[in-house]
């Protein structure tokens, strides 16, 4: 059983901690030889759907890096397949949806998610991860946010302009609302099932919402994000993460979350001032900074900690995921620097 006063969990409650806790997005990934070895033998989806392997990948970085939380190895799009959306993971281009959702009729064809029936391997991975962690650090579950999931569904993959997404949003607001409500229900069910299985905190990734204007965010996204967060199990910390959203921070805060994740495009102290100090903050080292010499990394860590000012509620992280070319030794040095420079 993880100590409820573990620094990560205490920081989620904005309580004083002996040092600033740190974990990383894409904590398990191609930058680690242990992951590359498994990936050479199994497809990405195989790794996600094998609870023993998913748990191994979840736990390995904790032991290797010395971080203060584990994050479940999975993918934000896993819940789309049971909703009737064929999904393919290509080697170089990532996930591809061959039949995008572009019309109201497409939305109507989506199935309601029954996570216990269709995604039992995820929850078994949660249980196996908790057992393997043996109380050393908390386990974070996660899901994609309704907007980011909707964008994948509509665009069929990655996008720079989100033309199809915004076209549906503007031209058929009823279909858009229907889609977002369906996805919100699915995310709530999926995350609550992770929590039941043993996740001690959850992060919601709204990685693509930075394409929205403040007005459109408030009208088309915020109500559904609020409904999602309010539907989650009481007492479990919620990290609300997004990128490219320096102009949306107040609206993101209003949508909900105990901790707001920010990327490197905004100074942490300025972001926290905008958010208000009654909420925690997570971030926000540029992932590319981990390619720098070790003394430069230490200096950048120190600058972010200086901006945090020792205020309770800061969780150190990158502004997005670890890059594949990152040396593991640099990640370890960063984690050590966070612990050393923030010791109180």
């Amino acid at each position: 059983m993880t100590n409820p006063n573990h620094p990560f969990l205490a920081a989620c409650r904005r309580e004083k901690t002996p040092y600033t806790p740190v974990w990383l997005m894409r904590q398990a990934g191609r930058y680690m030889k242990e992951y590359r070895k498994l990936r050479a033998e199994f497809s990405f989806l195989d790794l996600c759907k094998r609870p023993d392997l998913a748990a191994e990948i979840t736990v390995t970085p904790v032991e290797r890096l010395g971080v203060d939380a584990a994050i479940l190895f999975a993918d934000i799009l896993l819940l789309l397949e049971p909703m009737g959306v064929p999904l393919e993971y290509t080697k170089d281009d990532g996930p591809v949806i061959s039949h995008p959702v572009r019309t109201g009729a497409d939305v109507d064809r989506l199935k309601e998610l029954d996570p216990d029936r269709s995604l039992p391997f995820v929850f078994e991975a949660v249980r196996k991860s908790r057992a393997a962690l043996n109380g050393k650090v908390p386990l974070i579950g996660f899901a994609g946010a309704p907007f980011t999931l909707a964008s994948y569904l509509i665009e069929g993959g990655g996008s720079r302009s989100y033309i199809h997404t915004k076209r549906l949003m503007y031209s058929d607001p009823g279909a858009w609302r229907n889609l977002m409500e369906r996805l919100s229900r699915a995310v709530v069910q999926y995350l609550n099932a992770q929590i039941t299985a043993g996740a001690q905190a959850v992060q919601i990734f709204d990685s693509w919402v930075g394409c929205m204007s403040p007005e459109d965010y408030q009208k088309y996204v915020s109500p559904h994000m609020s409904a999602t967060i309010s539907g989650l199990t009481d007492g479990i910390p919620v990290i609300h993460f997004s990128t490219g959203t320096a102009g949306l921070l107040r609206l993101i805060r209003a949508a909900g979350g105990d901790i707001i994740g920010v990327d490197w495009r905004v100074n942490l102290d300025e972001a926290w001032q905008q958010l208000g100090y009654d909420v925690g903050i997570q971030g926000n080292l540029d992932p590319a900074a981990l390619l720098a010499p070790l003394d430069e990394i230490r200096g950048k860590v120190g600058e972010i900690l200086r901006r945090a000012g020792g205020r309770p509620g800061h969780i150190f992280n990158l502004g997005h995921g670890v890059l594949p070319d990152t040396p593991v030794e640099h990640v370890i040095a960063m984690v050590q620097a966070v612990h050393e420079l923030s010791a109180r």
Side-chain angles (χ1 to χ4, degrees), residues 6-8 11 17-22 68 314 338-340 342-344:
H6 184 282
F8 171 81
T17 56
Y19 56 84
T20 298
V22 52
D68 298 296
H314 178 215
V338 173
H339 289 159
E340 291 169 9
S342 67
R344 298 184 260 277

Side-chain angles (χ1 to χ4, degrees), residues 6-13 17 21 23 68-69 138 140 201 239 282 315:
H6 184 282
F8 171 81
L9 295 175
C12 288
R13 301 190 296 265
T17 56
W23 69 279
D68 298 296
I140 304 169
I239 305 168
Q282 181 176 277
I315 297 170

Side-chain angles (χ1 to χ4, degrees), residues 206-207 209-212 242-248 252 262-265 319:
D206 216 351
S207 308
V209 80
C211 71
M212 298 290 278
S242 59
T243 61
T245 50
L248 302 175
I252 287 171
V262 296
D263 70 14
W264 65 96
R265 299 174 182 90

Side-chain angles (χ1 to χ4, degrees), residues 156-177:
S159 175
R160 292 188 177 184
S161 59
Y162 302 93
I163 288 175
H164 298 295
T165 301
K166 293 184 179 183
R167 178 182 288 127
L168 179 65
M169 189 175 73
Y170 293 140
S171 63
D172 194 342
W176 175 260
R177 184 171 59 253

Side-chain angles (χ1 to χ4, degrees), residues 112-115 123 184-194:
E112 288 292 321
L113 181 70
D114 181 352
F123 314 125
S184 176
R185 287 194 300 271
V187 171
V188 168
Q189 291 176 309
Y190 182 48
L191 286 178
N192 282 342
Q194 290 184 40

